[in-house]
Amino acid sequence: MARGHQKLQSQQKNAKKQAEAKKSKGHDQKAAAKAALVFTCTVCRTQMPDPKTFKQHFESRHPKSPMPPELVDVVA
């Protein structure tokens, strides 16, 4: 088992390694959320995560606009 100066060096080296791993990993919630928004409204450019939400949005916000072809067969 390491003692004294060798132990201190080992702890510092491990702390540096952990900090670099944490920094490089960098889980970004904003990027993950943005990647999940795959459907974009053609009228107002709002992004939605799934076709069901997209259809509900389109029916409530743009009732006079024609329904996009990708939403015609979606069950709300």
Side-chain angles (χ1 to χ4, degrees):
M1 187 172 208
R3 294 195 170 113
H5 187 64
Q6 183 183 7
K7 180 179 178 182
L8 185 63
Q9 285 178 330
S10 178
Q11 287 174 343
Q12 288 174 344
K13 182 180 176 184
N14 188 31
K16 183 179 176 185
K17 183 179 176 183
Q18 293 291 331
E20 287 177 6
K22 188 175 182 182
K23 189 185 297 183
S24 68
K25 184 178 178 185
H27 179 71
D28 188 12
Q29 287 183 329
K30 284 187 179 181
K34 191 170 185 175
L37 300 174
V38 293
F39 294 95
T40 303
C41 179
T42 54
V43 179
C44 63
R45 300 290 181 200
T46 304
Q47 293 180 320
M48 267 96 16
D50 55 42
K52 183 178 178 182
T53 307
F54 186 15
K55 186 169 184 173
Q56 289 174 350
H57 160 81
F58 208 89
E59 290 171 343
S60 65
R61 302 286 182 191
H62 316 294
K64 295 181 181 177
S65 299
M67 186 76 66
E70 63 267 15
L71 296 180
V72 173
D73 60 340
V74 175
V75 176

